[in-house]
Amino acid sequence: MPAKAAQPKKKEKEASASSSGGGKAKKKKWSKGKVRDKLNNMVLFDKATYDKCVKDMPQYKLITPAIVCERFKVRGSLARQIIRELVRRGLIRPVVKHSRQEIYTRATKEDAPGEQEAGKEGGQETKKGGGGEKKGKKAAAAAAAAAAADETTAE
């Protein structure tokens, strides 16, 4: 029989057990994780913020509700509301309007409807009113059908 190996002492045994993971090891402490700062965004516009939005937003190249929330410290619902208002006024225009992501950009001179017509016409007045008959194949066919129907009802 081979000779017995020398038994390690008790203190050495505990030190080796804790480092190797066996036996009674200290319980793992879980971290709290990353703690995000709570956003304190406004729920209603005050006069100063509203005026700042109306003045600054039409100058941005890229406008999304997320950008408006971040820059003006307002809730998403307010951001969507102010964007809708600026679109209605014609100060910004939609690029992509998807259910998940809305992207807008500043309105250029080409986008403005009143200025666009004035620029093309060169200041000349346009003839208003649609008087007169429509011209074209469909209109001629409809007129012929109406005339034929009148003749059959007259007989």
Side-chain angles (χ1 to χ4, degrees):
M1 268 194 144
K4 279 188 170 181
Q7 294 285 331
K9 294 184 180 173
K10 195 173 183 180
K11 288 181 183 177
E12 292 173 11
K13 214 178 204 182
E14 288 175 1
S16 64
S18 64
S19 64
S20 65
K24 282 193 173 181
K26 289 185 178 179
K27 195 170 185 180
K28 186 176 183 220
K29 293 182 179 177
W30 291 92
S31 67
K32 301 283 192 259
K34 291 184 179 177
V35 179
R36 264 182 76 186
D37 294 332
K38 185 156 174 57
L39 296 175
N40 194 13
N41 289 346
M42 288 189 290
V43 181
L44 295 171
F45 276 118
D46 57 351
K47 183 71 174 154
T49 308
Y50 179 81
D51 291 339
K52 187 178 175 190
C53 285
V54 171
K55 183 181 152 225
D56 292 346
M57 278 177 51
Q59 297 170 0
Y60 296 156
K61 276 188 180 178
L62 176 68
I63 303 166
T64 63
I67 289 173
V68 176
C69 289
E70 191 175 313
R71 291 188 183 167
F72 297 108
K73 301 292 182 222
V74 295
R75 292 266 173 107
S77 57
L78 281 183
R80 289 190 300 270
Q81 185 179 7
I82 191 75
I83 286 173
R84 268 187 246 119
E85 185 175 325
L86 292 177
V87 168
R88 194 172 59 244
R89 288 186 190 180
L91 297 174
I92 62 175
R93 67 179 175 90
V95 175
V96 176
K97 182 139 172 65
H98 190 267
S99 61
R100 305 272 179 180
Q101 182 69 47
E102 301 168 0
I103 300 174
Y104 299 87
T105 189
R106 59 186 171 202
T108 58
K109 290 181 181 177
E110 297 146 10
D111 297 335
E115 295 173 10
Q116 187 177 16
E117 291 172 6
K120 285 184 178 177
E121 298 298 324
Q124 297 176 357
E125 290 186 27
T126 58
K127 185 178 176 183
K128 300 275 179 172
E133 295 179 19
K134 290 187 176 180
K135 297 175 184 173
K137 292 179 181 177
K138 288 183 181 178
D150 288 340
E151 288 177 15
T152 55
T153 56
E155 293 176 358

